[in-house]
Amino acid sequence: MGTADPPAAVVQRLQEEHLRKDVIGFGSLGEALTAQGGRAEEASKAFEDALACCPAGVPSHLQRAYAHYCGAYASLCEEIGDRQRAQELYERGLSVNPTCPTCLGNLPLFLQSCKRPSNEIEAAYKAYFAEYPESVPVLVKYANFLRHAMRAPDRAETILKKAIGISEDADALGAYAVLLHAVRPHDPLTEQLYGRAVKADPAAVNALSNYGLYLSEMKRDYTKAKKVYEQALTADPAHANSCYNYAVMLDSGLNDVEGAVQLYERALKAKPTHAYALYNLAVVCEEKLNDHERAGSLYERAVAAG
């Protein structure tokens, strides 16, 4: 089997092959432009063109595609901060196809971002699982909702057990490991799950970053943690949390000031508003480098970043 085209190649092919001027043609272009990144305005135009293809109602043979592109466009609108348009699109998609997996699957996170009541969010998850009970990615999202919003780690663990029973999925394994890291850090299963997560996907950067944190915090195994952090940064050199976690270990665990500063700066290059990196770097500048001027500036930025 061949590999999937990268987003840029998809866009180019769609444009070169006389784009189908219908729901699927314009919708596919919108998705490809979204995946490219930095082309939200063009992607929005393509999605609008897709939806405009059915001014008098959506034919039955296009309802699934139309609803899917409503959901994909809604997700883009969320990214660019247009929540009102996103809500309209989710509602439109579900009115056309009430079982649309894209709309049903994205809606709970959208409701969370809008700070809607927890019972409304949970109802949205249950509506999705009524149609798609074995969707591992959405089970993971639901578990995170139960843990953080509902303060129900036992329920979250039940959901994550179900998820990893369906598939040896790196995100599910990593989420389960993070949960145990927080509530039962000395449980041997915690490290087993981290190991299974990075075996399932050696480039699973979030799992790698959290595994490095576990090794350094709980095991004080700095040698192994360094290898895991390096693997994370090979997978994603601009992953801010991996840079930050690695810097904390070098700073607090190994007293490698130069290395820690480089990684705090790298984290801030990736995410200039990373409040923890700003604060920690300020402390290093003040207490270890005697650079009070820079420390003051960093403290101010940390406060502004919240």
Side-chain angles (χ1 to χ4, degrees), residues 58 60 62-68 70 90-104 131-132:
V58 184
S60 58
L62 288 176
Q63 286 175 353
R64 291 179 63 184
Y66 186 95
H68 167 74
C70 283
Y90 283 129
E91 291 173 352
R92 185 191 299 191
L94 289 171
S95 70
V96 171
N97 178 16
T99 64
C100 172
T102 307
C103 292
L104 283 176
E131 299 295 332
Y132 310 100

Side-chain angles (χ1 to χ4, degrees), residues 233-252:
L233 292 175
T234 297
D236 183 355
H239 192 256
N241 281 343
S242 292
C243 294
Y244 171 75
N245 289 343
Y246 194 178
V248 170
M249 184 186 77
L250 295 180
D251 181 8
S252 303

Side-chain angles (χ1 to χ4, degrees), residues 5 8-22 24-26 28-29:
D5 290 332
V10 173
V11 174
Q12 184 177 0
R13 190 179 70 240
L14 287 168
Q15 290 173 334
E16 289 179 350
E17 292 180 358
H18 305 290
L19 176 69
R20 289 172 52 183
K21 295 182 178 180
D22 60 12
I24 294 174
F26 286 123
S28 297
L29 179 61

Side-chain angles (χ1 to χ4, degrees), residues 226-239:
K226 285 182 74 171
K227 291 179 181 177
V228 171
Y229 283 134
E230 291 293 345
Q231 186 176 342
L233 292 175
T234 297
D236 183 355
H239 192 256

